[in-house]
Amino acid sequence: MLCEECGKNQATVSITVTTGSGTNTRRLCPECMKKMELNLVKGDIQSFLSSVLSVLGNEKKTEEKPSVVCTACGLSYAEFEHTGRLGCAQCYRDFASHLKPSLQKIHGRTQHAGRKPKAFVPDPQDELNQRIIELRKQMDEAVADENFEEAARLRDELRALTESQEVTEQ
Amino acid sequence: MSETAIRNVIVSDRVRLARNYHDLPFSTQKSPENALLCIARAREAMEALEQEYTLYQLNAMPQVERMKLVERHLISRDLLKNADSGAALIRTDKHVSVMVNEEDHLRIQAIGDGLSLQDTAREAFEAEEALEDVCTFSFDPQLGYLTSCPTNTGTGMRASLMMHLPMLTRYKQMGNVNQSIAKLGLTIRGIYGEGSEALGDLYQVSNQVTLGRTEEEIIDAVTAVGKKMIDMEQALRQRAMKEKHAELTDNIWRSYGLLRYARQMDEKEFMQHWSNLRLGTVLEILKTPLASVDELLTVAQSAHAKRYAESMGAELTVDQARSAMIRTTLRLTP
Ligand SMILES: [Zn+2]
Ligand SMILES: [Zn+2]
């Protein structure tokens, strides 16, 4: 078994920590154990505990990436990273937080702008957001062209739209 | 831009759309039932169209026939990897094909001649809409059409131009071209040959980015770059005609001589001389019709040559058959 702190070395020591929520056992390599013990030697039991607890807290984070699995097709994120191919539409939803940065890197954008299926019914909120993005773009262009009259008109239109949005949100 | 200028540089244009059925996992490799379902749905959809489509199931075809479809750019090499389940519906006029069970369930592809991506896209969308009448595609309001590889997500569209760029290549401009178009979300690569070599000086310019742009924006970007490259290539051709006229014409006639009289030729040598043949034709040094030159690019490829040899009942190697095919084409034209 690998060390739960660094994930690289073989775990040879285990440490049991009792917290308010129960008992937890961590398996660490000697190197990471030493780092934590160092805090103890310094007489700082609090920071020793907090570093061990941070391992506990990290558990989710460090485990989430390699072990997240698509709930529909069972593909793991690690497999996707290996092959570059997703398994099904649900993969996009289950891996969303990991995929977004990659999509941003590949395409420079993360909002679809093209065709939609004939049967697709748009969400009115999406439509409104889309219109706001468009108006902002037009306003920036008007400013860049020093067409301030048009920019002011677009600003007012934008303001009216965002206000109506706030009203619907309340 | 004149039709002639376009034809002088652009061999063909192509639009490809990636689509998946919403209710099936992307890969059909491990499920023969799903693979058959994909084919059945696609077949049903294409039957509704006025123009006739023919179904080609790879597992029922000999390898040489599959390769002929690859050489005509009607199916991809990747589809051959899924030869057990792969299929293609190909319109009788060969301008539109729908690959089934490639990386995505459906790869709809239309091929046009020149710089008419708008029209070519319309052909692809016609097929797409017919498919959509029969099924629901995997679509997300934020990410667009969902594809097996995230590099295709969004429009799922790849718009490309097949360009013949002998002078940009000889004047060593392709590196610069590559750098400047990368900034526009486009990419350029050799079509034939391995790695960085571009046999026949043939390149494909296409969009790299598929998410966050409309189909029109993608087509406009590829078209604009295509025009720019036509201008650059044409300018260099004119310059070479002035500054290196003797050398240029000599090269062209030598290539013509070899193509016309050689008795065996491998693919690499053929592609090198073919580039000169096309250049010589558009510079009006040679009288071969451009359509024959471009057709030669397909029929002198290995699978076509092999089939030709078999049909002649002659004991020819592929390289000998290729030469025979080339000689026949050039003999029939002035
Ligand atoms: Zn460790
Ligand atoms: Zn999945």
Side-chain angles (χ1 to χ4, degrees), chain A residues 69-75 86-92 94-95, chain B residues 25-26:
Chain A
V69 163
C70 171
T71 50
C73 73
L75 183 87
L86 291 158
C88 70
Q90 186 63 32
C91 288
Y92 276 95
D94 289 347
F95 302 160
Chain B
F26 296 145

Side-chain angles (χ1 to χ4, degrees), chain A residues 73 80 84-93 99-100 103 106-120 126 137, chain B residues 25-27 103 125 128-129 132-133 138-139 141-151 153-155 209-215:
Chain A
C73 73
F80 160 67
R85 302 285 181 273
L86 291 158
C88 70
Q90 186 63 32
C91 288
Y92 276 95
R93 290 183 274 275
L99 276 177
K100 204 163 178 183
L103 288 167
I106 299 166
H107 302 284
R109 296 179 193 177
T110 54
Q111 174 60 55
H112 177 57
R115 281 165 80 85
K116 297 176 178 75
K118 279 185 272 186
F120 179 72
D126 281 346
K137 203 170 129 195
Chain B
F26 296 145
S27 172
E103 189 183 295
F125 290 137
E128 186 225 20
E129 283 167 17
E132 208 182 358
D133 285 338
S138 191
F139 179 83
Q142 201 202 333
L143 298 178
Y145 292 97
L146 302 178
T147 52
S148 166
C149 182
T151 54
T153 303
T155 57
V209 166
T210 55
L211 179 62
R213 272 89 172 153
T214 65
E215 288 79 4

Side-chain angles (χ1 to χ4, degrees), chain A:
Chain A
M1 154 149 212
L2 290 177
C3 166
E4 290 171 358
E5 172 72 7
C6 62
K8 285 177 198 143
N9 306 328
Q10 205 60 39
T12 53
V13 280
S14 61
I15 174 168
T16 303
V17 191
T18 309
T19 61
S21 55
T23 313
N24 275 294
T25 303
R26 305 283 91 205
R27 289 176 192 80
L28 305 171
C29 71
E31 238 179 272
C32 291
M33 188 62 204
K34 201 170 267 169
K35 270 186 219 152
M36 290 182 185
E37 279 174 339
L38 216 58
N39 291 327
L40 195 59
V41 172
K42 276 190 242 154
D44 187 354
I45 184 85
Q46 203 52 49
S47 69
F48 171 71
L49 269 180
S50 69
S51 40
V52 176
L53 287 173
S54 82
V55 176
L56 300 180
N58 273 342
E59 186 180 14
K60 254 197 191 141
K61 243 189 258 161
T62 47
E63 242 173 51
E64 192 182 36
K65 195 167 184 181
S67 77
V68 61
V69 163
C70 171
T71 50
C73 73
L75 183 87
S76 73
Y77 189 75
E79 280 173 272
F80 160 67
E81 280 190 315
H82 182 66
T83 62
R85 302 285 181 273
L86 291 158
C88 70
Q90 186 63 32
C91 288
Y92 276 95
R93 290 183 274 275
D94 289 347
F95 302 160
S97 58
H98 301 307
L99 276 177
K100 204 163 178 183
S102 331
L103 288 167
Q104 177 71 36
K105 213 166 137 191
I106 299 166
H107 302 284
R109 296 179 193 177
T110 54
Q111 174 60 55
H112 177 57
R115 281 165 80 85
K116 297 176 178 75
K118 279 185 272 186
F120 179 72
V121 183
D123 179 350
Q125 191 58 45
D126 281 346
E127 293 277 276
L128 188 61
N129 290 337
Q130 207 56 43
R131 180 80 187 123
I132 289 171
I133 292 168
E134 234 167 73
L135 281 173
R136 278 210 187 108
K137 203 170 129 195
Q138 284 173 15
M139 190 171 76
D140 290 345
E141 281 167 10
V143 172
D145 294 344
E146 298 187 9
N147 188 349
F148 297 114
E149 216 170 291
E150 174 71 359
R153 192 190 65 73
L154 290 163
R155 182 203 55 207
D156 292 344
E157 198 179 328
L158 251 173
R159 200 173 280 163
L161 269 183
T162 39
E163 271 163 16
S164 78
Q165 192 178 29
E166 273 156 23
V167 170
T168 48
E169 269 165 19
Q170 284 161 13

